[in-house]
Each structure stands twice: as C-alpha cells, then as structure tokens.
Amino acid sequence: MNIYQIAEIASWLFLFYGIIISLGYSFAAIFSFLEIRDYKRKHNFQAEFTLLQSSSLPSISVLAPAYNEEANVVENVRSLLTLNYPSYEIVIINDGSKDGTLQQLIETFDLEEKDFKYYQFISTQKVRAVYKSRNKAYKNLKIIDKENGGKADALNTGINLCDHEITCCIDVDCILESDALMKLVKPFLNNTKKVIASGGIIRVANSCIIEDGRIIDVKLPDTFLARAQIIEYFRAFLMGRMAWSRLDGLLLISGAFGMFDKETVIKVGGYNPDTVGEDMELLVRMRRKMREEKISYNVGFVPDPLCWTEVPQKWHILHRQRNRWTRGTAETLWIHRKMLFNPKYKVLGMLSTPYWLFFEWLAPLIEFLGILYVIYLLIFSNLNPLVYLIFFAVVYSFAILFSITALFFEEFSFQQYKKPKYIIKLIGTILIEPLVYHPFIMWASVKGNWDLYKGKKNWGTMQRTGLGNPQKKK
C-alpha cells in the first residue's frame, strides 16, 4: 500500500467521522427541542408556590468546598443564606486555604468553634474544627476547617458531617437562583423510581450586577472570551445534556451545582480523590452500581438556569481548566471501560460511553490530526485549494448553524439576554468563535491528553477575579 492509497483511506475516514458527529449534533438538537417544549408545557408557577408551603419537603444539605476563595466566599455565602426553601443547611468546607477565606467567614458571620463528633463513612483528611454562628440569623450555617485534600476530599468531608439525606454539592463561587433548591429537588419527589441525582443548567455570571448575593441584572460580558463561553454553555446544556437526559444517558452533572442521594453516594464510596474529573466519575459510578445491582433508578435534569458561575477571563486560566476537564474525562472512561459497548448497561453502555469516547475525548485529537493531514495535502499533494475552501466553508457553516440553534433555544426557553444589542453581540461572537476560541480549546484538550500521558494529576491554579459588581447600576 503506497502513500497515496493511505491518504485516500484517511480522507474517507475523516469524512465518515465528520458525517457521524454532525448527525449526532443534529439528533441532539431535535431531542433537546422536544425536552424544552415538554418542560415549558409542564412548568407551573402555582404548583411551585404550593410545593413551597408543603411540610413534607425533604431537608437538604448544601455542600460548598472552598480553597483560597476569599474573593467570593462572603458574597456567595450570603447568596446561599437567601435561598427560598423551608429546610436546608449550608456546609462550607474550608480545604486548608492559604489565604483569608476562613478568617473572612469567622469575622463576617460571627463564628465560634463547636465540639463535634461524626462517623467517617468516607475516609478523608483530618478535620481541624467545626464552626457555627452566634447569630441566630445564620443558624443553618456550618463551617468545616480541614487539612487540604482537594475538592473531592472536601466534599466527602461535607458528606460525613452534614445532617440531611439529600446533598446539594456546589462550587462556592457560584450564585444560585432563589428557587434553585425548589426546582432541583423536584425529580426526588413523587418518583416511582429511586432518584440518585439531579442537575440543572449553569450560566455565566461575569459582568452581571449582584447585590446581597443575588443576580439582580443579567449583563453580557464585555470580553470575547467570556461571551464565547456563554455560547459554549448554551450548546453544552441546552443542546447536549438535555438531549442525554431525554435518552436517560446522562453521564455528567456539573460539579458547580448538583443534587445527590447521600445514601447512594456513601454506598459507592463518595467522590474519588484520585481523579481530576470527580463530578463525572461519581455519577458514572453511581449509575453503574445501580445497574449492576438491578435497582430501578432515575437521574433528573431540570432545564432551568439555576446556577450562575464565574468563568475564566484569561486565556491561560481557561487553558488549565480545559486541560483538566480533558484529563478527567479520560480518567473516568478508563476507570469504567467495562461499560463500553456492554449491553448489560443498556443506553449507558451502548450509546453514552461510546459517544463520550469517540466524540468528546477523542474529538480534539482527531481534529488536530485532521488539521495536520490537510496541511500535508496542501504542501505535498495536488489537493485543489478551491476544494479545501469549499469543504472548510461547509464545516464552518455547520458550526455557525449549531451555535445559532443553541442561541435560538435560549431565546425560546429562558431569555436571559433580553436586549437586542446582546443578541447582536452574541451572534458576532458565534461568527468568530470557530476561528479563534474553538482552536484554542482543541489545543488545550490535546495538551491535556499529553499531560495525562505524562502522569500529571494536579488541578492547576484557578485564579478568580471575584463576582463583585463591575459597575454601579444606573
């Protein structure tokens, strides 16, 4: 077989891969639209108000690990204290912060150290102290100070020490909608199957106006990088996870905001501290356990913008984040490789894990190889540049169409960005994103795979600017 035959085979393989992934995105858009439509039909504000008055709602423990979060921690705890839910506790786990995170909490919320005893269901680093507030207004606030062990270890500590059977795990830098717990707990209520987890939609809080821990005015970020991530979140949540939820094949609930059945979490051993993708790995392990024990269960997904988070504003910080996400995905797929193409796990084994393998983890690698292949053809073969430009235009147009569809779904459903100038800016971002942002994300993923090969395990520093108001509201 000569070099020309190899090149021809490679061309057909790349074409076949591109067609399959395009079909996958198209079907995801259809399923997501159906899910959004059904949700809008069923959504009933009066039913939510009645539910809020109910005394039978389960109590919830909100767990938020914090490491060097002094920029946001006070504002975000205030946000958590204003949640509209009848019975919940807030558990902040200070994971050995080196900055003033703990001291800010102690001073702001008038904390004092309390004696504590607990059963260590899950092995964790040592707990140094537990704090409660002297102020009765903060009676549902608990602060745990522990030795550093990473996010997974901090969450496991919170699970050991929390009081309630439903845990809501969040990033402490997030801002929750006031009715977030009310909406996220719905899948746990009146369900004929055991509900092991529930997730919701995450939105970008950069540039939004925040007062007393609440988003009072949604603003579009000024920077291209933040706007590109908004479009990416639209695609991921409105056209990705909603489709997988409809197919009962969801493998990931965002670590920024997810609700879990505490008993099941403890049963599978809690979060895995040996992976940087602990949120995805936990859900896959929980689903795998339930399937292996032949227990009928459900994973809920609420298509409402319930949680707002700060996204990276600098390219090098974004690179670290996406590098870690890639390594976490690869580690999870390797740990649970037994599920791949295994009919025993039904949708998870025959559809979800193969999709994540070929179109999430391998996609950036295949795309990178494809770019190198096209460069080779342009230099060393008689590839007609016009043919290449036509092919590029088709791929670029599909990427634009997919993102425009995601933006349409946002406007059709929740309309967080109501001003016409915001829509115009988002469309402008969509036109540039495939040429600038996407190649950068692809490279971060390729580098993540290389770092995984070299054995890199650390998270990398995630510096935050804080979610303080960028400007005074006029």
Side-chain angles (χ1 to χ4, degrees):
M1 185 179 293
N2 58 42
I3 187 67
Y4 298 105
Q5 291 174 317
I6 294 174
E8 184 176 357
I9 292 173
S11 298
W12 282 106
L13 287 175
F14 281 123
L15 180 61
F16 177 75
Y17 182 85
I19 292 173
I20 294 297
I21 199 170
S22 298
L23 288 173
Y25 288 154
S26 299
F27 281 116
I30 293 170
F31 286 128
S32 296
F33 176 78
L34 295 174
E35 191 76 359
I36 292 174
R37 183 200 63 185
D38 292 348
Y39 180 79
K40 285 176 68 71
R41 288 175 177 175
K42 295 175 183 176
H43 182 69
N44 188 318
F45 175 77
Q46 185 60 40
E48 281 186 10
F49 181 79
T50 303
L51 191 62
L52 188 61
Q53 311 306 314
S54 173
S55 60
S56 61
L57 282 173
S59 297
I60 297 171
S61 294
V62 180
L63 312 181
Y67 178 72
N68 293 347
E69 295 280 0
E70 66 176 329
N72 288 337
V73 68
V74 170
E75 189 78 16
N76 291 115
V77 170
R78 285 176 177 154
S79 170
L80 295 175
L81 287 166
T82 62
L83 292 176
N84 196 10
Y85 195 81
S87 178
Y88 72 100
E89 67 168 342
I90 302 165
V91 183
I92 307 296
I93 308 103
N94 180 51
D95 190 37
S97 296
K98 297 177 182 178
D99 64 356
T101 298
L102 181 61
Q103 194 58 35
Q104 280 208 29
L105 290 169
I106 291 173
E107 293 174 358
T108 304
F109 299 104
D110 193 20
L111 302 178
E112 62 178 351
E113 190 171 339
K114 293 289 186 180
D115 294 332
F116 66 96
K117 293 181 181 179
Y118 71 102
Y119 184 81
Q120 197 171 43
F121 298 103
I122 307 166
S123 179
T124 67
Q125 293 292 330
K126 181 181 177 181
V127 175
R128 297 168 178 164
V130 174
Y131 296 88
K132 296 280 287 183
S133 177
R134 299 181 183 90
N135 191 331
K136 291 183 179 180
Y138 309 131
K139 63 181 179 180
N140 62 333
L141 176 63
K142 179 189 295 182
I143 309 297
I144 301 171
D145 184 34
K146 62 177 289 292
E147 294 180 358
N148 180 259
K151 181 181 178 182
D153 187 79
L155 286 168
N156 288 337
T157 302
I159 292 167
N160 285 336
L161 281 157
C162 71
D163 295 331
H164 306 310
E165 293 306 308
I166 293 180
T167 61
C168 180
C169 301
I170 71 168
D171 287 343
V172 76
D173 64 300
C174 291
I175 300 290
L176 299 185
E177 293 287 340
S178 61
D179 59 354
L181 294 183
M182 178 63 60
K183 289 180 176 177
L184 199 59
V185 82
K186 278 185 177 181
F188 288 84
L189 308 176
N190 303 319
N191 201 308
T192 55
K193 299 179 180 179
K194 181 180 179 65
V195 177
I196 62 171
S198 177
I201 289 179
I202 310 297
R203 287 296 168 87
V204 174
N206 301 53
S207 298
C208 292
I209 302 297
I210 301 169
E211 286 185 6
D212 298 324
R214 299 256 66 83
I215 300 280
I216 63 171
D217 191 10
V218 177
K219 290 186 174 292
L220 191 69
D222 294 327
T223 65
F224 166 79
L225 188 59
R227 292 198 303 271
Q229 289 173 84
I230 288 175
I231 298 300
E232 186 180 33
Y233 276 42
F234 285 169
R235 293 195 300 258
F237 288 95
L238 293 177
M239 297 184 67
R241 295 184 195 176
M242 289 186 68
W244 283 114
S245 175
R246 191 173 186 89
L247 294 171
D248 191 30
L250 196 63
L251 291 186
L252 174 62
I253 286 177
S254 175
F257 186 48
M259 195 170 283
F260 299 90
D261 174 61
K262 178 180 174 180
E263 178 186 23
T264 307
V265 173
I266 291 174
K267 188 175 183 180
V268 300
Y271 285 90
N272 184 354
D274 296 323
T275 175
V276 294
E278 70 290 325
D279 46 2
M280 179 180 180
E281 197 282 326
L282 175 64
L283 183 62
V284 174
R285 184 155 29 98
M286 291 171 72
R287 299 198 70 160
R288 177 178 175 179
K289 183 73 170 178
M290 299 298 284
R291 182 65 64 190
E292 288 174 349
E293 294 189 353
K294 298 181 180 179
I295 300 173
S296 182
Y297 74 99
N298 189 34
V299 174
F301 187 80
V302 180
D304 255 315
L306 304 178
C307 174
W308 298 77
T309 188
E310 180 187 6
V311 297
Q313 296 263 39
K314 297 181 180 178
W315 291 96
H316 69 282
I317 301 297
L318 179 64
H319 183 279
R320 291 176 193 167
Q321 183 193 64
R322 300 314 168 90
N323 180 306
R324 174 172 59 82
W325 286 6
T326 296
R327 287 182 283 128
T329 298
E331 289 170 349
T332 298
L333 291 172
W334 176 253
I335 292 169
H336 300 285
R337 59 192 180 277
K338 178 183 176 181
M339 298 174 64
L340 191 64
F341 294 113
N342 190 336
K344 173 182 177 181
Y345 298 99
K346 298 187 178 180
V347 173
L348 299 178
M350 300 305 294
L351 194 58
S352 298
T353 48
Y355 178 89
W356 275 85
L357 174 65
F358 291 110
F359 302 120
E360 291 289 347
W361 175 49
L362 287 178
L365 295 174
I366 293 173
E367 185 178 356
F368 181 68
L369 291 175
I371 292 172
L372 295 180
Y373 176 67
V374 169
I375 294 173
Y376 168 81
L377 291 180
L378 287 171
I379 297 175
F380 297 104
S381 78
N382 57 354
L383 175 67
N384 188 334
L386 181 60
V387 173
Y388 165 74
L389 289 175
I390 292 173
F391 184 76
F392 173 82
V394 171
V395 174
Y396 175 76
S397 298
F398 182 83
I400 297 301
L401 177 62
F402 192 67
S403 294
I404 290 290
T405 305
L407 179 58
F408 165 75
F409 282 5
E410 155 63 19
E411 291 306 299
F412 172 70
S413 55
F414 309 112
Q415 298 179 328
Q416 294 295 323
Y417 300 98
K418 298 179 176 66
K419 297 180 180 179
K421 68 177 182 179
Y422 288 169
I423 302 302
I424 293 171
K425 281 188 176 182
L426 287 172
I427 292 174
T429 302
I430 287 172
L431 295 175
I432 301 172
E433 186 252 4
L435 305 175
V436 179
Y437 179 82
H438 178 74
F440 178 84
I441 296 300
M442 177 199 68
W443 174 246
S445 300
V446 171
K447 186 63 165 52
N449 279 287
W450 176 249
D451 288 343
L452 179 69
Y453 172 75
K454 294 193 299 181
K456 184 177 180 179
K457 289 288 185 181
N458 65 306
W459 269 51
T461 304
M462 295 292 114
Q463 298 171 347
R464 304 189 188 277
T465 59
L467 290 176
N469 293 342
Q471 56 185 341
K472 295 289 184 183
K473 188 181 179 185
K474 297 179 180 180

